[in-house]
Amino acid sequence: MRSKRVNLLICLIAFVLFTFSCFCISRMTQISNQLTNCRNHMSEFKETMQHLKNRAENSRQELMEAFNQMKNDITNREKVSGSLVEKKVNTTNQNETVSNTLEDLKFFFPHLNKADSIYPDIIIGKGRRDVSFALGISTVDRGNHSYLKQTLTSVVSRMTPAEEKDSVVIVSVADSHGDYLNSVVNMITKKFKRQVKSGSLEVIAIPAFFYPETLHVNQLADDSEKLESWRMKQVLDFCVLMLYAQPKAMYYLQLEDDIIAKQMYFTKIVDFVRNITSNDWFCIEFSVLGFIGKLFRSEDLTDLVRFFLMFYKDKPIDSLLSEIFHLKMCDTRKHPVTCKQRKKQICVRHNPSLFQHVGIHSSLLGKEQYFKDIYY
């Protein structure tokens, strides 16, 4: 009996040990599976992190490449601008001043209201201001013929250093052909380096959107309409140039791109203005031809330009200048002789003329002109 109890106890212990062993094995298997899953997750996590790291590195390299490309683009643009454009960083106030004077254009040309800024493109300029004289030269492409280099040589070389310091010569390229603008800039930067560096010589360009659409259409029409369009555009070219120059100087001298100046012309102009007996003058003529060599007070340019803009479709600019003299100074109730005398008082002529017209090939392609100032 006792032996049976011992055997039963042993069996019970063996069963308990077996059950415990199975439980332990089962738990160890579960733990092992969990550890395996954990290792798999860790491996996947490492792979994900490595993938993210690689993507981050690739993104960093792409950003660096994009940044370097931007730097190169900016450098290249600056190099190109350096060869064609010399804009001053601190010309904001000047731009705002000139923009205000150019606001008149919006009244006459409503299409300019859509433009963010109506301001000529400054191609070469140091922002020179507060000088006595601004000399304006408007130029367009004449095909295979150009007189601009000869004109500028006579104009800038026949100034004294003091006169050059107290003036600014403004060349306005009123031509939509980029090749002509580039040729003008290349010529000026090579031939007139000193004047460009000192700021006594500027180059501006009039954007094509300044002009009303009718001018662009008429240029494709017959000869009579082309001539009419050319005359209208010439008036607008001079108007923009005068408005740009107005805040820069006390006096404005209108020239053209196919003239030559006499020796010491600038000294003679300064002396004549200083010694003029009457202060009632509106214009001083230093040439009897067209719109060449006409000197105005800058403060009078606003009224002058507004008159030109009102009637730019009707007459050439030299005829409009005569009309404004008549309207401003001739009372219909007075005798014509009195009117003529009054006109001489407000439009004073310097004799001899200081500028001669040398261009044969007109800016209107195909047209030749042989005008000469007999008083030169």
Side-chain angles (χ1 to χ4, degrees), residues 6-54:
V6 171
N7 290 337
L8 182 61
L9 181 60
I10 292 172
C11 288
L12 180 60
I13 293 172
F15 175 78
V16 171
L17 290 174
F18 176 77
T19 302
F20 180 74
S21 299
C22 291
F23 173 78
C24 291
I25 293 172
S26 175
R27 290 295 298 165
M28 289 178 65
T29 302
Q30 290 178 359
I31 293 172
S32 176
N33 291 336
Q34 289 177 352
L35 289 174
T36 301
N37 291 335
C38 184
R39 282 196 297 266
N40 291 337
H41 288 315
M42 289 294 294
S43 178
E44 290 176 359
F45 178 74
K46 288 181 179 180
E47 291 178 358
T48 302
M49 290 299 295
Q50 185 63 38
H51 179 68
L52 292 175
K53 183 178 179 181
N54 293 338

Side-chain angles (χ1 to χ4, degrees), residues 45-91:
F45 178 74
K46 288 181 179 180
E47 291 178 358
T48 302
M49 290 299 295
Q50 185 63 38
H51 179 68
L52 292 175
K53 183 178 179 181
N54 293 338
R55 287 186 60 182
E57 180 64 23
N58 292 336
S59 298
R60 187 185 70 83
Q61 293 178 359
E62 290 175 358
L63 287 173
M64 289 299 297
E65 291 176 0
F67 178 72
N68 291 332
Q69 184 64 40
M70 289 174 61
K71 288 176 62 178
N72 292 334
D73 291 342
I74 292 171
T75 302
N76 291 334
R77 282 197 295 268
E78 288 176 348
K79 288 180 179 178
V80 172
S81 299
S83 62
L84 293 178
V85 181
E86 287 192 20
K87 292 186 177 180
K88 283 203 68 161
V89 176
N90 58 348
T91 57

Side-chain angles (χ1 to χ4, degrees), residues 42-315:
M42 289 294 294
S43 178
E44 290 176 359
F45 178 74
K46 288 181 179 180
E47 291 178 358
T48 302
M49 290 299 295
Q50 185 63 38
H51 179 68
L52 292 175
K53 183 178 179 181
N54 293 338
R55 287 186 60 182
E57 180 64 23
N58 292 336
S59 298
R60 187 185 70 83
Q61 293 178 359
E62 290 175 358
L63 287 173
M64 289 299 297
E65 291 176 0
F67 178 72
N68 291 332
Q69 184 64 40
M70 289 174 61
K71 288 176 62 178
N72 292 334
D73 291 342
I74 292 171
T75 302
N76 291 334
R77 282 197 295 268
E78 288 176 348
K79 288 180 179 178
V80 172
S81 299
S83 62
L84 293 178
V85 181
E86 287 192 20
K87 292 186 177 180
K88 283 203 68 161
V89 176
N90 58 348
T91 57
T92 303
N93 293 334
Q94 177 195 357
N95 291 359
E96 291 177 353
T97 303
V98 180
S99 293
N100 291 335
T101 64
L102 289 166
E103 286 297 312
D104 280 343
L105 294 173
K106 291 184 177 180
F107 178 80
F108 296 95
F109 306 113
H111 74 277
L112 294 178
N113 288 308
K114 301 177 182 178
D116 294 334
S117 174
I118 52 171
Y119 191 77
D121 297 328
I122 303 178
I123 309 302
I124 295 174
K126 298 291 185 180
R128 177 172 287 194
R129 299 187 64 186
D130 300 323
V131 294
S132 295
F133 292 88
L135 290 71
I137 300 174
S138 180
T139 185
V140 296
D141 188 6
R142 298 172 187 257
N144 296 326
H145 308 280
S146 177
Y147 308 96
L148 181 60
K149 184 177 180 180
Q150 179 184 8
T151 296
L152 283 176
T153 300
S154 70
V155 168
V156 303
S157 67
R158 292 171 181 175
M159 293 181 183
T160 66
E163 291 167 350
E164 183 179 310
K165 189 175 182 180
D166 195 30
S167 64
V168 55
V169 178
I170 306 166
V171 177
S172 175
V173 181
D175 199 297
S176 59
H177 297 97
D179 291 342
Y180 182 65
L181 174 61
N182 291 338
S183 67
V184 170
V185 172
N186 289 335
M187 181 272 290
I188 288 177
T189 52
K190 291 177 182 178
K191 179 68 177 178
F192 304 100
K193 288 182 179 179
R194 181 176 58 79
Q195 289 82 5
V196 169
K197 186 176 181 179
S198 69
S200 65
L201 180 57
E202 296 187 1
V203 178
I204 65 173
I206 302 178
F209 73 84
F210 268 53
Y211 305 100
E213 186 63 29
T214 52
L215 287 187
H216 302 291
V217 174
N218 288 347
Q219 289 175 355
L220 303 176
D222 57 29
D223 290 343
S224 62
E225 289 182 336
K226 284 182 180 179
L227 176 60
E228 182 182 0
S229 177
W230 172 75
R231 286 175 174 171
M232 290 191 292
K233 180 179 178 298
Q234 188 179 59
V235 177
L236 300 183
D237 293 343
F238 286 132
C239 287
V240 174
L241 177 54
M242 286 188 282
L243 291 176
Y244 172 79
Q246 183 179 21
K248 289 179 169 290
M250 185 181 301
Y251 302 101
Y252 174 78
L253 179 66
Q254 180 65 61
L255 301 175
E256 293 189 10
D257 64 344
D258 57 349
I259 58 98
I260 57 172
K262 272 192 173 181
Q263 292 286 351
M264 297 183 65
Y265 80 95
F266 201 93
T267 302
K268 294 175 182 178
I269 290 175
V270 173
D271 291 342
F272 190 80
V273 173
R274 183 182 299 143
N275 297 322
I276 196 168
T277 55
S278 172
N279 196 38
D280 196 25
W281 62 272
F282 178 76
C283 171
I284 301 177
E285 292 186 316
F286 294 98
S287 172
V288 298
L289 293 180
F291 208 49
I292 298 171
K294 304 300 188 283
L295 182 77
F296 306 94
R297 292 185 182 91
S298 292
E299 63 188 28
D300 294 329
L301 291 179
T302 299
D303 290 339
L304 188 65
V305 168
R306 287 174 179 172
F307 181 81
F308 289 158
L309 292 176
M310 280 191 289
F311 301 103
Y312 79 98
K313 296 181 180 180
D314 301 311
K315 292 186 178 182

